[in-house]
Amino acid sequence: MSAIRDRLAKALEPLAPKRFAYARFALALGIGLLGAIFFLRLSLPLPWMLGPLAACLLASLLRAPITAPTILRPPMTVLVGVLLGAGFTPGMMAGIADWLPSLLGLMVFLLVAAAACVTYFYRVAGFDLPTAYFAGMPGGLIEMVTVGQAKGGDPRIIALIHSSRIMLIVFSLPFILDVVTGEKVIARPTTGLSVFDAPWSVEVWLLVTGLVGIVLGRMLRLPAPFLMGPMLASAAVHLTGVTEFRPPYELVAAAQLVLGTALGCRFAGTRLTEIVRILGLALGSTAILLSITLGFSLGLNRLIGLPVLDLLLAYSPGGLTETSLIALALHVEVAFVATHHVTRVFLVMTTAGLVFRLVEKFRGPS
């Protein structure tokens, strides 16, 4: 009994007032909520995520005392993972074989995108080779920072570049989709019932799939275990037809609010000149990535006939969580998009270190 009590106390330790900046987080959440309301009033895309992101980024630029402790992201990510898993339906199984050509195309896309971005950061931005290489990889923020630091890269620049890439792609993608395909991202997260109307079984399924998914994600050592584990657990019960539950939309909105706030707060405490410089460089790399994404999506649409919208979301190197939420809003098959993003992150994580060793060997001593 004492062992359980000790483990619980250790798990709750980050929430202690001395370690958790409650006042700064409350300010960040308030600013994020104002951003969401502003986006809602203007009917802008994904208001509960992009509104807080934009508002907290602006607050960071103005040096506001805001923060979003990392302990808050996992529970929100679990909720989104369960929601994404609900997009896996029994009827989609017959079409999985049709995804193989686009998954093969994804491998070519990664080679082209990585080569272009690494060259950009090395030749144009003037980064040293390890920093340019791991900043230019289209996926795996935590892994690229960790391995990049071990290889001699600057972890702060790598982290800021990847954060900027995700933020800029997620923010610009809904507008690009509107221009290219004419599809508008719906303004409100109306999927599922209201928390006041949902039966008690929805909360039970949400809790069970979330907890089982966390254990599954850690046991299988999945990348982003708090997202992929619950997504797999939720997908399993939905694919087998055991349940058709979806998390209440108020909880989905709250999760997007916290995630958007956290993404915008990643720049808090960074010098304004560095933020502006990194954002400028990230804007260039984002333009390169989105151009390559659009080119591959249009090309594959002609070759294999898959919709341009689906391919744009599947190939877009934004965050898995955020891009999947856009797919959900557009009623695109979430399973298709999520599978491609999981594959992208897995390929980048497993091959980046090996390829860097080959690059170093080919380049020789500097």
Side-chain angles (χ1 to χ4, degrees):
M1 193 71 179
S2 60
I4 296 176
R5 188 165 55 247
D6 291 342
R7 292 183 69 178
L8 182 61
K10 187 176 181 180
L12 295 176
E13 191 176 331
L15 294 174
K18 290 183 178 180
R19 298 189 58 183
F20 191 105
Y22 284 96
R24 292 172 64 193
F25 173 61
L27 177 60
L29 209 56
I31 291 172
L33 184 58
L34 288 175
I37 293 170
F38 180 76
F39 268 53
L40 280 167
R41 292 294 297 271
L42 295 182
S43 296
L44 294 173
L46 287 177
W48 290 103
M49 185 168 64
L50 298 187
L53 190 161
C56 288
L57 173 63
L58 180 60
S60 296
L61 289 171
L62 297 175
R63 307 298 295 273
I66 59 174
T67 188
T70 55
I71 191 176
L72 294 170
R73 185 174 174 89
M76 299 299 105
T77 305
V78 167
L79 179 59
V80 173
V82 172
L83 174 66
L84 299 180
F88 289 75
T89 61
M92 59 160 276
M93 295 300 292
I96 288 182
D98 297 333
W99 302 355
L100 185 58
S102 62
L103 286 170
L104 292 173
L106 180 65
M107 298 179 189
V108 181
F109 166 81
L110 286 176
L111 286 173
V112 174
C117 285
V118 171
T119 302
Y120 167 79
F121 286 125
Y122 186 63
R123 298 292 184 187
V124 179
F127 294 164
D128 59 80
L129 182 61
T131 302
Y133 179 86
F134 289 100
M137 290 294 106
L141 185 152
I142 295 173
E143 293 77 15
M144 293 306 100
V145 171
T146 304
V147 180
Q149 184 175 14
K151 297 292 185 180
D154 187 326
R156 186 173 182 81
I157 290 179
I158 296 171
L160 286 174
I161 287 292
H162 278 285
S163 297
S164 301
R165 167 180 60 82
I166 294 169
M167 181 193 69
L168 290 170
I169 287 178
V170 169
F171 197 85
S172 61
L173 193 57
F175 300 98
I176 292 171
L177 292 173
D178 185 14
V179 172
V180 174
T181 69
E183 296 284 350
K184 292 185 180 293
V185 179
I186 58 174
R188 291 170 177 79
T190 53
T191 182
L193 295 172
S194 167
V195 70
F196 302 106
D197 299 327
W200 62 269
S201 59
V202 169
E203 280 78 11
V204 172
W205 277 114
L206 180 59
L207 184 63
V208 169
T209 51
L211 292 176
V212 170
I214 292 171
V215 174
L216 187 66
R218 288 185 164 178
M219 281 179 58
L220 298 178
R221 298 184 179 180
L222 298 173
F226 287 100
L227 178 73
M228 291 180 58
M231 185 175 74
L232 288 177
S234 177
V237 296
H238 283 88
L239 279 172
T240 53
V242 174
T243 178
E244 296 180 353
F245 88 94
R246 286 177 176 270
Y249 59 77
E250 293 93 346
L251 294 182
V252 177
Q256 292 183 56
L257 172 63
V258 173
L259 291 171
T261 298
L263 193 54
C265 285
R266 278 185 175 171
F267 296 90
T270 307
R271 287 182 293 116
L272 180 60
T273 53
E274 186 174 7
I275 292 177
V276 172
R277 175 174 173 264
I278 293 297
L279 282 177
L281 292 172
L283 190 61
S285 67
T286 300
I288 292 170
L289 284 170
L290 288 176
S291 298
I292 296 171
T293 301
L294 181 59
F296 268 79
S297 300
L298 293 172
L300 285 170
N301 168 256
R302 287 181 172 274
L303 286 173
I304 59 179
L306 287 174
V308 173
L309 175 62
D310 297 41
L311 290 164
L312 274 170
L313 288 170
Y315 276 50
S316 168
L320 166 61
T321 305
E322 294 81 5
T323 309
S324 297
L325 284 170
I326 296 174
L328 193 69
L330 289 171
H331 305 290
V332 172
E333 196 164 49
V334 175
F336 175 80
V337 175
T339 298
H340 283 71
H341 279 271
V342 169
T343 303
R344 170 177 60 84
V345 172
F346 176 77
L347 287 172
V348 170
M349 287 192 325
T350 54
T351 62
L354 173 63
V355 174
F356 182 71
R357 286 199 294 271
L358 295 174
V359 170
E360 280 188 312
K361 186 175 181 179
F362 176 77
R363 182 169 175 260
S366 56

